[in-house]
Amino acid sequence: GWGPVNAIWLILSVFLAGINGIEAAAAKPARILAIGTSLTQGYNLPPGTEFTTILQARLKAKGYDVLVINAGVSGDTSAGGLARLDWTLAQPFDGAIVELGSNDALRGLEVAQTRSNLDAILAALNKRGIAVLLTGMKSPRNLGPEYVAAFDALYPELAKKHGVLFYPFFLEGVAANLKLNQADGIHPNEQGTLVIVRGILPYAQKLIEQIKAKPRAGATH
């Protein structure tokens, strides 16, 4: 949660931005919201080994001034992500990584509903001028060929519709690999998380380049 210390920092940063004006605003780190499921949250992983922390460290190592904020919620569906979006966006963000839908498929929810929820999320982020990286998901294969085909296709279609960056499969190289998953066979372990970050890193860099190319929120008064 956001405690008193964060509130003080917020007041201080607003104060400093006021003093330094545009320079302070331009020098702020790019803030990237990672909104997703347990895969983003870091289910059952030791603190500091979850996706967002590793991704932020890798980006900083490449010279990017960036904060990756973890808004992953275990068990969250696309409907849950949409329901909490406005509240989540109460803070300012420059970019967003959207990782939602895996729990929809695990529950066999209507593909049309998942599509509609993700469509609304992407539209809301676009409307606010937030650069987006959508990560694709694949349906469990036991749900039948029609469901699988419809579910898998909704991600590239929505990425194209909204003109956002697209990483085809969040669990690329990790899904179904016992060595890279926890005992449940679903959630990545520490090694698996490193593989995920390695795969998504070039896309995250593109996201930051998009952010840099945009006029920054707060830089104009």
Side-chain angles (χ1 to χ4, degrees):
W2 288 83
V5 174
N6 292 91
I8 291 164
W9 273 114
L10 189 63
I11 291 161
L12 193 60
S13 64
V14 169
F15 176 68
L16 290 173
I19 295 173
N20 298 332
I22 290 163
E23 294 81 19
K28 284 189 305 191
R31 289 169 53 85
I32 296 174
L33 169 73
I35 186 164
T37 67
S38 55
L39 300 175
T40 293
Q41 183 220 348
Y43 174 81
N44 224 8
L45 290 172
T49 66
E50 60 280 316
F51 167 73
T52 50
T53 308
I54 303 295
L55 180 62
Q56 178 177 295
R58 291 286 188 277
L59 288 167
K60 285 191 167 181
K62 287 192 173 287
Y64 293 104
D65 188 13
V66 61
L67 284 172
V68 182
I69 291 91
N70 192 330
V73 172
S74 233
D76 210 9
T77 59
S78 60
L82 178 59
R84 65 190 170 97
L85 189 66
D86 279 347
W87 173 82
T88 308
L89 293 175
Q91 297 173 51
F93 291 101
D94 304 295
I97 298 171
V98 179
E99 175 273 304
L100 286 163
S102 55
N103 290 311
D104 298 47
L106 286 172
R107 296 180 189 186
L109 301 180
E110 286 286 333
V111 174
Q113 198 55 55
T114 303
R115 178 195 295 273
S116 166
N117 294 332
L118 286 171
D119 194 18
I121 288 168
L122 295 176
L125 292 167
N126 269 344
K127 191 178 172 189
R128 287 172 165 87
I130 296 170
V132 176
L133 168 56
L134 175 66
T135 68
M137 195 43 69
K138 292 190 191 308
S139 161
R141 274 21 201 174
N142 61 351
L143 292 174
E146 284 179 17
Y147 187 96
V148 168
F151 184 89
D152 291 6
L154 76 86
Y155 291 92
E157 284 169 14
L158 285 176
K160 192 174 178 184
K161 176 182 174 182
H162 292 277
V164 298
L165 288 168
F166 178 55
Y167 182 58
F169 184 33
F170 189 82
L171 294 174
E172 187 63 53
V174 176
N177 184 330
L178 295 178
K179 288 181 185 168
L180 299 178
N181 283 283
Q182 297 176 34
D184 60 15
I186 295 175
H187 295 97
N189 58 23
E190 290 172 59
Q191 285 305 113
T193 302
L194 294 177
V195 172
I196 291 170
V197 171
R198 195 180 309 139
I200 210 166
L201 189 60
Y203 296 81
Q205 287 176 245
K206 283 183 193 168
L207 183 67
I208 297 172
E209 294 301 336
Q210 275 193 8
I211 291 165
K212 281 180 169 178
K214 285 184 177 188
R216 290 292 293 275
T220 48
H221 292 286

